[in-house]
Amino acid sequence: MLGALVARATGRTMGDYMQEKLCEPLGMTSPGYWVLDPAGTEMAYGGLNLTARDYARIGELYRCGGVWQGEQIIPAAWVRDSLTVAAPHLEPGRPIIGGHPTGLGYGHHWWLPAGDRGEFSAIGVYNQFVYVDPTARTTIVKLSANRRYGTSATESTNREMETLTFLRALARRDN
């Protein structure tokens, strides 16, 4: 619905709108694309394909409160709101995806680990991550794929919390 709303409000595809509002200001170097549904509409809830470097640019943009190279690309209030749990059912450990609890909270398109560091992640299908720890001033992108992801409702198959633990350890190695 969000993708349809953006397309309707702007009169443009999600890809065209994103190119102007994010890709160009962030200096993305490789063409990205959205996976399309059977009707040919971009699947705004997922399916965004970018290089690791370009995903990292988005993580860094949010880590810096929507500012990129001194320019406010995304309103700071939107960044803050999107990284905030807005309802009890979205608190860490409460969202259930695919029949299994995530152990994470949820904002606007960002997963929010429990704790007080302000960490957040985008988590893609097959266990891909854009992990951001503002306290450690760190953004990590993991694009490798877990072929078993989503084939069961267990952490031993999906490994989201295992991956998060690993990324946290990397981010905190010097802190």
Side-chain angles (χ1 to χ4, degrees), residues 9-172:
T10 65
R12 302 161 69 186
T13 66
M14 286 284 298
D16 287 345
Y17 188 70
M18 188 178 110
Q19 179 66 31
E20 176 190 339
K21 299 296 184 181
L22 276 180
C23 297
E24 290 173 11
L26 295 178
M28 291 185 175
T29 58
S30 300
Y33 65 93
W34 292 89
V35 173
L36 304 178
D37 69 14
T41 303
E42 292 118 334
M43 298 187 331
Y45 63 89
L48 175 61
N49 292 272
L50 298 171
T51 64
R53 184 166 285 154
D54 289 341
Y55 276 125
R57 283 179 168 93
I58 293 173
E60 280 292 289
L61 175 67
Y62 270 75
R63 185 183 70 79
C64 295
V67 174
W68 184 259
Q69 297 180 343
E71 183 181 346
Q72 191 76 46
I73 304 296
I74 298 174
W78 172 259
V79 172
R80 187 175 47 257
D81 290 348
S82 68
L83 301 175
T84 302
V85 171
H89 72 282
L90 299 173
E91 291 176 5
R94 301 286 307 274
I96 297 176
I97 305 296
H100 73 281
T102 63
L104 302 166
Y106 197 69
H108 302 320
H109 301 281
W110 292 101
W111 292 100
L112 309 170
D116 60 359
R117 293 179 66 91
E119 303 160 281
F120 53 96
S121 286
I123 302 175
V125 67
Y126 303 118
N127 204 243
Q128 297 149 348
F129 273 73
V130 176
Y131 168 80
V132 181
D133 181 343
T135 302
R137 298 180 52 186
T138 301
T139 297
I140 302 170
V141 176
K142 174 191 161 297
L143 294 183
S144 60
N146 170 358
R147 294 183 315 236
R148 295 182 59 211
Y149 186 85
T151 60
S152 82
T154 66
E155 170 64 18
S156 63
T157 299
N158 295 303
R159 302 197 137 140
E160 289 171 341
M161 298 312 291
E162 176 184 286
T163 301
L164 179 61
T165 299
F166 173 70
L167 296 174
R168 281 177 156 168
L170 284 176
R172 297 174 187 181

